[in-house]
Coordinates of all heavy atoms in Angstrom, one line a residue:
V734 N 92.2 95.0 104.8 CA 90.9 94.9 105.4 C 90.8 95.5 106.7 O 91.9 95.7 107.4 CB 90.5 93.4 105.5 CG1 90.4 92.7 104.1 CG2 91.5 92.6 106.4
V735 N 89.6 95.8 107.2 CA 89.4 96.3 108.5 C 89.0 95.2 109.5 O 88.1 94.5 109.2 CB 88.3 97.4 108.5 CG1 88.1 97.9 109.9 CG2 88.7 98.6 107.6
L736 N 89.9 95.0 110.5 CA 89.6 94.0 111.5 C 89.0 94.7 112.7 O 89.6 95.7 113.3 CB 90.9 93.3 111.9 CG 91.5 92.3 111.0 CD1 92.8 91.8 111.6 CD2 90.5 91.2 110.6
R737 N 87.9 94.2 113.2 CA 87.3 94.8 114.5 C 88.3 94.3 115.6 O 88.9 93.3 115.5 CB 85.9 94.2 114.7 CG 85.0 94.7 113.6 CD 83.7 93.9 113.8 NE 82.8 94.3 112.6 CZ 81.6 94.7 112.7 NH1 81.0 94.9 113.9 NH2 80.9 95.0 111.6
Y738 N 88.4 95.1 116.6 CA 89.3 94.9 117.7 C 89.2 93.5 118.2 O 90.2 92.8 118.4 CB 89.2 95.9 118.8 CG 90.2 95.7 119.9 CD1 91.5 96.1 119.7 CD2 89.8 95.1 121.1 CE1 92.4 95.9 120.7 CE2 90.7 94.9 122.1 CZ 92.0 95.3 121.9 OH 92.9 95.0 122.9
H739 N 88.0 93.0 118.5 CA 87.8 91.7 119.1 C 88.0 90.6 118.1 O 88.0 89.4 118.5 CB 86.4 91.6 119.7 CG 85.3 91.7 118.8 ND1 84.8 92.9 118.3 CD2 84.5 90.8 118.2 CE1 83.8 92.7 117.4 NE2 83.6 91.4 117.4
W740 N 88.2 90.9 116.8 CA 88.6 89.8 115.9 C 90.1 89.6 115.8 O 90.5 88.6 115.2 CB 88.1 90.2 114.5 CG 86.7 90.2 114.2 CD1 85.7 89.8 115.0 CD2 86.0 90.6 113.0 NE1 84.5 89.9 114.4 CE2 84.6 90.4 113.2 CE3 86.5 91.1 111.8 CZ2 83.7 90.7 112.2 CZ3 85.5 91.4 110.8 CH2 84.2 91.2 111.0
I741 N 90.9 90.5 116.2 CA 92.3 90.4 116.0 C 92.9 89.1 116.5 O 93.6 88.4 115.8 CB 93.1 91.7 116.6 CG1 92.6 92.9 115.8 CG2 94.6 91.5 116.4 CD1 93.1 94.2 116.4
E742 N 92.7 88.8 117.8 CA 93.3 87.6 118.4 C 92.8 86.4 117.7 O 93.7 85.5 117.3 CB 93.0 87.6 119.9 CG 93.7 86.5 120.6 CD 93.4 86.5 122.1 OE1 93.4 87.6 122.7 OE2 93.2 85.4 122.6
P743 N 91.5 86.1 117.4 CA 91.1 84.9 116.7 C 91.6 84.9 115.3 O 91.9 83.8 114.7 CB 89.6 84.9 116.8 CG 89.2 86.2 117.3 CD 90.4 86.8 118.0
F744 N 91.7 86.0 114.6 CA 92.2 86.1 113.2 C 93.6 85.7 113.2 O 94.0 84.9 112.4 CB 92.0 87.6 112.7 CG 92.4 87.8 111.3 CD1 91.4 87.6 110.3 CD2 93.7 88.1 110.9 CE1 91.8 87.7 109.0 CE2 94.0 88.3 109.6 CZ 93.1 88.1 108.6
V745 N 94.4 86.2 114.1 CA 95.9 85.9 114.1 C 96.0 84.4 114.5 O 96.9 83.7 113.9 CB 96.6 86.8 115.1 CG1 98.0 86.3 115.4 CG2 96.6 88.2 114.6
R746 N 95.3 83.9 115.4 CA 95.3 82.5 115.8 C 95.0 81.6 114.6 O 95.7 80.6 114.3 CB 94.4 82.2 116.9 CG 94.5 80.8 117.5 CD 93.7 80.5 118.7 NE 92.4 81.1 118.7 CZ 92.0 82.1 119.5 NH1 92.8 82.7 120.4 NH2 90.8 82.6 119.4
S747 N 94.0 82.0 113.8 CA 93.6 81.2 112.7 C 94.7 81.3 111.6 O 95.0 80.2 110.9 CB 92.3 81.7 112.1 OG 91.8 80.9 111.1
L748 N 95.3 82.4 111.4 CA 96.4 82.6 110.4 C 97.6 81.7 110.8 O 98.1 81.0 110.0 CB 96.9 84.0 110.3 CG 96.3 84.9 109.3 CD1 96.9 86.3 109.4 CD2 96.4 84.4 107.9
R749 N 97.9 81.7 112.1 CA 99.0 80.9 112.6 C 98.8 79.4 112.3 O 99.7 78.7 111.9 CB 99.2 81.2 114.1 CG 100.5 80.6 114.7 CD 100.7 81.0 116.1 NE 100.6 82.4 116.4 CZ 101.6 83.3 116.1 NH1 102.6 82.9 115.5 NH2 101.4 84.6 116.4
E750 N 97.6 79.0 112.6 CA 97.3 77.5 112.4 C 97.4 77.2 110.9 O 97.9 76.2 110.5 CB 95.9 77.2 112.9 CG 95.8 77.2 114.4 CD 94.3 77.2 114.9 OE1 93.4 77.1 114.1 OE2 94.1 77.4 116.1
R751 N 96.9 78.0 110.0 CA 96.8 77.8 108.6 C 98.2 77.9 107.9 O 98.5 77.2 106.9 CB 95.9 78.7 107.9 CG 94.4 78.5 108.2 CD 93.6 78.5 107.0 NE 92.3 78.1 107.3 CZ 91.6 77.1 106.7 NH1 92.3 76.4 105.8 NH2 90.4 76.9 106.9
L752 N 99.1 78.7 108.5 CA 100.4 78.9 107.8 C 101.5 78.0 108.5 O 102.6 78.0 108.0 CB 100.8 80.4 108.0 CG 99.9 81.4 107.3 CD1 100.3 82.8 107.5 CD2 99.8 81.1 105.8
A753 N 101.1 77.3 109.5 CA 102.1 76.5 110.3 C 102.8 75.4 109.4 O 104.0 75.1 109.7 CB 101.5 75.8 111.5
A754 N 102.2 74.9 108.5 CA 102.8 73.8 107.7 C 103.7 74.2 106.5 O 104.3 73.4 105.9 CB 101.6 72.9 107.1
F755 N 103.7 75.5 106.3 CA 104.4 76.0 105.1 C 105.9 76.1 105.4 O 106.4 76.4 106.4 CB 104.0 77.4 104.7 CG 102.7 77.4 103.9 CD1 101.5 77.4 104.5 CD2 102.8 77.3 102.5 CE1 100.3 77.3 103.7 CE2 101.6 77.2 101.7 CZ 100.4 77.3 102.4
H756 N 106.7 75.7 104.3 CA 108.1 75.7 104.4 C 108.7 76.9 103.7 O 108.0 77.6 102.9 CB 108.7 74.5 103.6 CG 108.4 73.2 104.3 ND1 109.3 72.6 105.3 CD2 107.4 72.3 104.2 CE1 108.7 71.5 105.7 NE2 107.6 71.3 105.1
R757 N 109.9 77.3 104.1 CA 110.6 78.4 103.5 C 110.8 78.2 102.0 O 110.9 77.0 101.6 CB 112.0 78.6 104.2 CG 111.9 79.0 105.6 CD 113.2 79.1 106.3 NE 113.0 79.4 107.7 CZ 114.0 79.8 108.5 NH1 115.3 79.8 108.0 NH2 113.8 80.1 109.7
F758 N 110.8 79.2 101.3 CA 111.0 79.1 99.8 C 111.6 80.4 99.3 O 111.6 81.4 100.0 CB 109.7 78.8 99.1 CG 108.7 79.8 99.2 CD1 108.5 80.7 98.1 CD2 107.8 80.0 100.3 CE1 107.6 81.7 98.2 CE2 106.9 80.9 100.3 CZ 106.7 81.8 99.3
F759 N 112.1 80.3 98.1 CA 112.6 81.5 97.4 C 111.6 82.0 96.3 O 110.9 81.2 95.7 CB 113.9 81.2 96.7 CG 115.1 81.1 97.6 CD1 115.5 79.8 98.1 CD2 115.8 82.2 98.1 CE1 116.6 79.7 98.9 CE2 116.9 82.1 98.9 CZ 117.3 80.8 99.4
C760 N 111.6 83.3 96.1 CA 111.0 83.8 94.9 C 111.9 84.8 94.3 O 112.9 85.3 94.9 CB 109.6 84.3 95.2 SG 109.5 85.9 96.0
V761 N 111.7 85.1 93.0 CA 112.5 86.1 92.3 C 111.5 87.2 91.8 O 110.5 86.9 91.2 CB 113.2 85.5 91.1 CG1 114.0 86.5 90.3 CG2 114.1 84.3 91.6
A762 N 111.8 88.4 92.2 CA 111.0 89.6 91.8 C 111.9 90.5 90.9 O 112.7 91.3 91.4 CB 110.5 90.4 93.0
D763 N 111.9 90.3 89.6 CA 112.8 91.0 88.7 C 112.2 91.6 87.4 O 112.9 92.0 86.5 CB 113.9 90.0 88.3 CG 113.4 88.8 87.6 OD1 112.2 88.6 87.4 OD2 114.3 88.0 87.2
Q764 N 110.9 91.6 87.4 CA 110.2 92.1 86.2 C 109.5 93.5 86.6 O 108.6 93.5 87.4 CB 109.1 91.2 85.7 CG 109.7 89.8 85.3 CD 110.7 89.9 84.2 OE1 110.4 90.4 83.1 NE2 111.9 89.4 84.4
V765 N 110.0 94.6 86.0 CA 109.5 95.9 86.3 C 108.1 96.0 85.6 O 107.9 95.6 84.5 CB 110.4 97.0 85.7 CG1 109.9 98.4 86.1 CG2 111.8 96.8 86.2
K766 N 107.2 96.5 86.4 CA 105.8 96.6 86.0 C 105.2 97.9 86.6 O 105.5 98.3 87.7 CB 105.0 95.4 86.4 CG 103.7 95.2 85.6 CD 103.2 93.8 85.7 CE 101.8 93.7 85.0 NZ 101.2 92.4 85.2
V767 N 104.2 98.4 85.9 CA 103.5 99.6 86.4 C 102.1 99.2 86.9 O 101.4 98.4 86.2 CB 103.3 100.7 85.3 CG1 102.5 101.9 85.8 CG2 104.7 101.1 84.8
Y768 N 101.7 99.7 88.0 CA 100.4 99.3 88.6 C 99.6 100.6 89.0 O 100.3 101.6 89.3 CB 100.6 98.5 89.9 CG 101.3 97.2 89.7 CD1 102.7 97.1 89.8 CD2 100.6 96.0 89.5 CE1 103.3 95.9 89.6 CE2 101.2 94.8 89.3 CZ 102.6 94.8 89.4 OH 103.2 93.6 89.2
T769 N 98.3 100.5 89.1 CA 97.5 101.5 89.7 C 96.6 100.9 90.7 O 96.3 99.7 90.6 CB 96.6 102.3 88.7 OG1 95.8 101.3 88.0 CG2 97.5 103.1 87.7
N770 N 96.2 101.6 91.7 CA 95.3 101.1 92.7 C 93.9 101.0 92.0 O 93.7 101.4 90.9 CB 95.3 101.8 94.0 CG 94.8 103.3 93.8 OD1 94.5 103.7 92.7 ND2 94.7 104.0 94.9
Q771 N 92.9 100.3 92.7 CA 91.6 100.1 92.2 C 90.9 101.4 91.8 O 90.2 101.4 90.8 CB 90.7 99.3 93.1 CG 91.1 97.8 93.2 CD 90.2 97.1 94.2 OE1 90.0 97.5 95.3 NE2 89.7 95.9 93.8
N772 N 91.1 102.4 92.5 CA 90.4 103.7 92.3 C 91.2 104.6 91.3 O 90.7 105.7 90.9 CB 90.3 104.5 93.6 CG 89.6 103.8 94.6 OD1 88.9 102.8 94.4 ND2 89.7 104.2 95.9
K773 N 92.3 104.1 90.8 CA 93.2 104.9 89.9 C 93.6 106.2 90.5 O 93.8 107.2 89.8 CB 92.5 105.1 88.5 CG 92.0 103.9 87.9 CD 93.0 103.2 87.1 CE 92.5 102.1 86.2 NZ 93.4 101.1 85.9

């Protein structure tokens, strides 16, 4: 997404607040798949 310059600080602050409660975790990425972007 495009963030306007004056949005960066409040955007980052809001992200920090929303993500503060999350704990570390593991995931496994082991399935090979082919993707295209939206415009192909």
Side-chain angles (χ1 to χ4, degrees):
V734 296
V735 176
L736 288 178
R737 296 172 188 232
Y738 180 78
H739 63 279
W740 287 357
I741 295 172
E742 190 178 313
F744 185 88
V745 168
R746 185 172 43 249
S747 189
L748 267 181
R749 188 173 311 284
E750 290 168 5
R751 292 226 175 235
L752 299 175
F755 280 89
H756 291 271
R757 295 175 181 192
F758 66 96
F759 285 97
C760 73
V761 177
D763 61 357
Q764 301 300 304
V765 183
K766 198 164 175 184
V767 176
Y768 299 90
T769 56
N770 64 357
Q771 284 180 315
N772 304 342
K773 306 276 188 205

